[in-house]
Amino acid sequence: MKYVIIGNSTAAVGCVEGIRSVDQEGPITVISDEPYPAYSRPLISYLLQGSTTEEKMRTRPADFYEKNGVTLLSGKKAVRIDDARKTVGLESGESLPYDRLLIAAGSRPFIPPMAGLDRVEKKFTFMKLDDAKALEAALTPESRVLIVGAGLIGLKCAEGIRGRAGSITVVDLADRILPSILDETGSKMMQEQIESNGIGFLLGDSVAEFGKDRAHLKSGKTVEFDLLVVAVGVRPNTELASQAGCEVGRGIAVDERSATSVPDIYAAGDCCECRDITTGQRRVLAILPNAYLQGEAAGVNMAGGEKSFANAVPMNAIGFFGLHVLTAGSYDGEEIVETKPGVYKKLVVKDNLLKGFILIGEIARAGIYTSLIREQTPLDTVDFDLLKQKPQLMAFTARRRAEKLGGAK
Ligand SMILES: Cc1cc2nc3c(=O)[nH]c(=O)nc-3n(C[C@H](O)[C@H](O)[C@H](O)COP(=O)(O)OP(=O)(O)OC[C@H]3O[C@@H](n4cnc5c(N)ncnc54)[C@H](O)[C@@H]3O)c2cc1C
């Protein structure tokens, strides 16, 4: 059995490990348009901060490819899939035959049409190691940096360059930061934390037009800058799948086995959409755990085994300047809220299930909340009053405790 994987990041690594758990022999070829071994994408901001190195960013040891019988084609781009002939065509002209194919092509920055953007010489996006390196090469201690987008990627970029730039300003059309994962209280708390570290915000405003070194905002304000980072969102890389005839919505449609609608073509990670169990809706859940687990399920199934990844949950574990945030699930339901200085906690309950939570400041043992959501545990089978105070195993029955502890009493 010949396996080909397009992409070489978290979903691809999961797939290799999934394949090898079933089939130790079949040759695996991984095609990557980046020139690096698999690395942890979230760490690019820590590289700029100087708190990690390229070496430490690798998600697997240097001998991972060799040990797993993987041929890594770095710096090569897949440009076509011929599902009838079962080949993948590369930009370089080569054609690779496959028996089973995984598309793990991730996503790319979305750059909306913005008047005058072509006049800006020093502009960057912030998704890849090369983006971080390019930004670092252009940055000086005097640089005035304008970041468009107050979502996770824009703010991680701001944190990464804090202390290395003259000034950092973040502008966003939304009136609060991290709107896709935090509520108003959580956003405000994180904004104060980030502002207290010298980063400025212009919220509820957007760029009307760029000049060479300035942004004219809709509000009439003008922001002068030396470097511009555009971080307004991402788009899943679905084109290869569409062209191969796979069903595509917002992302590539896959079932619980990570199979697409075309036989022998699988897909995993940020390029896919999957069912969010907290809402029942299909959406792109662009986070590391999903990418790995979907990729692993794909690998096992590609190699003839059976594995499902059926309980995808949106989750985020982030932090800014030492203040940690954990979020999971959805926020439609009855809210149980607790606030104290430096701490915010919101649990959301609906239909006897924990649907979601936001934890800021105190995040210890939050995995217990996540597993209640993921396993859709009825709350009347646990001591939820105890769990509301803090996540703890004592709230479960003795039998469930034993299961959670892997059999230990
Ligand atoms: C700054 C930043 C911070 C983040 N922080 C977090 C976090 O705190 N927690 C979290 O869970 N997630 C975080 N994420 C998201 C996380 O990185 C992604 O969910 C994860 O990397 C997805 O893995 P993937 O394998 O699906 O795709 P990707 O990591 O996007 O990798 C896809 C790879 O495929 C390559 N590729 C695409 N098309 C082709 C082609 N045609 N031919 C060859 N190669 C191709 C791409 O170049 C890329 O190397 C963050 C992302 C960024 C950018």
Side-chain angles (χ1 to χ4, degrees):
M1 183 79 73
K2 282 194 283 294
Y3 306 95
V4 171
I5 301 175
I6 301 173
N8 176 36
S9 186
T10 305
V13 168
C15 182
V16 167
E17 293 178 346
I19 292 171
R20 287 293 175 245
S21 69
V22 179
D23 173 0
Q24 285 82 45
E25 303 296 330
I28 304 175
T29 303
V30 171
I31 307 162
S32 174
D33 60 6
E34 289 194 78
Y36 308 106
Y39 63 89
S40 175
R41 208 164 288 290
L43 293 184
I44 59 174
S45 58
Y46 297 86
L47 185 74
L48 287 181
Q49 255 179 4
S51 54
T52 192
T53 62
E54 259 187 78
E55 190 72 22
K56 287 187 192 150
M57 287 172 72
R58 287 186 176 185
T59 55
R60 290 294 179 272
D63 60 359
F64 171 77
Y65 299 96
E66 199 191 326
K67 269 198 169 156
N68 283 291
V70 174
T71 305
L72 174 60
L73 303 179
S74 308
K76 301 263 184 181
K77 186 171 176 133
V79 290
R80 145 183 14 89
I81 296 168
D82 184 332
D83 73 300
R85 290 203 172 88
K86 291 186 130 182
T87 57
V88 177
L90 305 187
E91 201 170 41
S92 54
E94 294 150 77
S95 176
L96 302 175
Y98 68 82
D99 296 308
R100 300 276 150 78
L101 172 67
L102 177 79
I103 305 173
S107 55
R108 60 175 179 279
F110 169 60
I111 313 272
M114 289 191 269
L117 186 60
D118 51 343
R119 291 187 204 128
V120 180
E121 277 167 27
K122 294 187 177 169
K123 49 181 181 277
F124 304 84
T125 52
F126 196 67
M127 286 195 72
K128 295 188 168 188
L129 189 46
D130 280 344
D131 297 334
K133 288 182 178 180
L135 182 57
E136 184 164 46
L139 202 62
T140 69
E142 291 77 39
S143 301
R144 296 162 301 172
V145 181
L146 175 64
I147 299 176
V148 182
L152 172 75
I153 292 178
L155 295 183
K156 274 288 156 195
C157 178
E159 186 186 49
I161 59 176
R162 198 275 312 239
R164 304 190 61 179
S167 68
I168 305 170
T169 307
V170 183
V171 63
D172 200 305
L173 185 60
D175 59 1
R176 59 193 179 86
I177 70 168
L178 297 166
S180 62
I181 58 170
L182 293 179
D183 63 3
E184 272 180 36
T185 309
S187 292
K188 193 162 174 284
M189 203 168 158
M190 291 316 292
Q191 185 180 336
E192 283 167 8
Q193 167 76 359
I194 298 171
E195 278 172 338
S196 70
N197 281 277
I199 292 160
F201 286 99
L202 293 168
L203 300 176
D205 208 346
S206 62
V207 178
E209 186 170 9
F210 284 107
K212 186 169 169 277
D213 58 0
R214 61 200 59 213
H216 303 287
L217 305 187
K218 294 236 163 88
S219 61
K221 289 182 192 144
T222 296
V223 185
E224 295 187 2
F225 62 82
D226 303 300
L227 308 180
L228 172 71
V229 179
V230 180
V232 295
V234 301
R235 290 287 178 271
N237 289 321
T238 57
E239 292 74 10
L240 284 171
S242 292
Q243 167 259 309
C246 302
E247 193 188 319
V248 170
R250 288 206 176 98
I252 304 168
V254 288
D255 64 14
E256 293 173 358
R257 301 173 67 253
S258 302
T260 69
S261 57
V262 172
D264 299 325
I265 302 182
Y266 293 71
D270 286 12
C271 59
C272 294
E273 57 177 35
C274 60
R275 191 176 152 273
D276 167 358
I277 61 158
T278 63
T279 60
Q281 284 164 0
R282 297 193 68 80
R283 55 184 287 205
V284 177
L285 292 178
I287 50 173
L288 290 170
N290 276 0
Y292 183 86
L293 293 169
Q294 263 188 334
E296 186 191 32
V300 170
N301 295 315
M302 286 160 73
E306 260 312 315
K307 194 163 183 112
S308 284
F309 172 58
N311 47 6
V313 172
M315 314 192 263
N316 277 283
I318 47 170
F320 292 98
F321 305 109
L323 184 57
H324 295 288
V325 183
L326 272 183
T327 67
S330 55
Y331 307 142
D332 172 28
E334 183 201 337
E335 298 178 0
I336 301 155
V337 174
E338 189 191 320
T339 47
K340 52 188 179 186
V343 174
Y344 177 55
K345 171 173 170 179
K346 175 156 110 177
L347 304 180
V348 179
V349 173
K350 193 176 182 183
D351 301 332
N352 195 31
L353 298 173
L354 182 63
K355 286 286 182 180
F357 65 78
I358 296 173
L359 302 178
I360 302 181
E362 270 176 16
I363 57 165
R365 313 192 82 184
I368 292 181
Y369 289 149
T370 313
S371 75
L372 286 177
I373 298 175
R374 208 185 266 290
E375 291 160 24
Q376 300 187 293
T377 308
L379 294 181
D380 57 8
T381 65
V382 296
D383 187 341
F384 190 54
D385 284 332
L386 210 56
L387 280 174
K388 273 191 247 178
Q389 292 161 27
K390 61 175 182 185
Q392 51 196 303
L393 284 174
M394 278 314 291
F396 293 84
T397 60
R399 189 173 62 81
R400 292 284 288 128
R401 274 205 304 276
E403 281 166 16
K404 284 188 175 295
L405 294 170
K409 300 280 174 195

